[in-house]
Amino acid sequence: MKNNRLLNKPVLLVLLVLVALVSCNDDRSYADRLNEERNAVNAFLANHRVVMSLPKDSVFEVGTDAPYYRLDPDGNIYMQVLNAGDRIGDRAKKGEPIYFRYSRYNLTNWYAYGTLVASEDGNEKSMSSSPAYFNYNDYTLPSSSQWGYGLQYPLLFLGVECEVNLVVKSQFGFTNELSYVTPFLFHVRYFHSQI
């Protein structure tokens, strides 16, 4: 019995040291990051007109002064339609390769510092870089799932040759960035073929 107590003391000591190290860590919790994300998105949208539901006739206001429409009930994606494309005759088909060019802006940084700065990974500004693509509504392929759900969402409502601004919270963003809990503003143009 004594031997078991002696063996438990070093284990207990190691656990106490680990708890002390973790409690001294200044990193924000996941809940803190979610609150920060929500605050950044709300602050950005406070500067714009926001419509909390989709238009009943599926006709969105279009242009740079159009509102941001909440696309999902939980408020993870908001869309401003700059060009609706042909919503009747040119809809994306399941599995179809859809090419896109984008710029994105970190809204957490905007919220903290007040300036929108495009991240380096976008391909919109350089026509020498290839457009990105996904196979529409087929998340079994890494080429599609890597982009998350947010970038495909507008094609549920608009024609393929559309252009939008999207506010995308982290859980609908790039899958390799989920743990960062960073919302982004995307400017996206979609195409049937590479441009």
Side-chain angles (χ1 to χ4, degrees):
M1 201 71 169
K2 272 188 175 180
N3 286 341
N4 285 341
R5 285 186 192 166
L6 289 176
L7 288 177
N8 288 337
K9 284 183 182 180
V11 171
L12 181 61
L13 182 62
V14 169
L15 286 175
L16 287 173
V17 169
L18 286 175
V19 167
L21 288 174
V22 169
S23 66
C24 292
N25 192 345
D26 286 338
D27 283 348
R28 296 162 297 172
S29 71
Y30 184 69
D32 291 338
R33 290 176 189 267
L34 287 174
N35 284 334
E36 185 177 81
E37 177 181 56
R38 186 185 72 248
N39 292 339
V41 167
N42 289 344
F44 177 80
L45 292 174
N47 295 315
H48 301 279
R49 198 164 38 112
V50 176
V51 175
M52 299 304 279
S53 59
L54 299 171
K56 291 192 184 340
D57 57 3
S58 296
V59 177
F60 293 87
E61 287 184 49
V62 176
T64 55
D65 61 343
Y68 278 83
Y69 293 92
R70 184 179 70 178
L71 296 186
D72 73 307
D74 296 325
N76 292 305
I77 306 172
Y78 293 83
M79 173 178 73
Q80 180 185 48
V81 182
L82 302 173
N83 176 355
D86 179 359
R87 342 176 271 105
I88 307 298
D90 191 23
R91 301 300 291 268
K93 295 164 189 60
K94 183 174 173 76
E96 176 184 0
I98 302 294
Y99 296 88
F100 63 97
R101 291 200 173 270
Y102 73 98
S103 293
R104 68 181 187 150
Y105 307 84
N106 182 320
L107 290 179
T108 301
N109 287 345
W110 168 82
Y111 184 58
Y113 306 111
T115 56
L116 277 175
V117 177
S119 55
E120 298 292 322
D121 62 349
N123 63 2
E124 181 179 40
K125 301 292 184 208
S126 173
M127 294 308 277
S128 64
S129 66
S130 297
Y133 80 95
F134 52 78
N135 291 81
Y136 178 67
N137 205 18
D138 184 353
Y139 296 99
T140 62
L141 300 172
S143 62
S144 297
S145 63
Q146 71 179 332
W147 304 108
Y149 292 102
L151 289 179
Q152 293 193 35
Y153 233 85
L155 297 177
L156 292 172
F157 312 102
L158 306 173
V160 173
E161 302 284 327
C162 65
E163 180 179 1
V164 297
N165 286 326
L166 290 174
V167 172
V168 180
K169 288 187 178 177
S170 58
Q171 56 219 54
F172 279 67
F174 295 177
T175 54
N176 66 341
E177 296 177 351
L178 284 170
S179 63
Y180 301 136
V181 192
T182 302
F184 283 92
L185 169 67
F186 286 85
H187 176 248
V188 190
R189 294 178 297 141
Y190 301 91
F191 306 98
H192 282 290
S193 60
Q194 289 186 353
I195 291 184

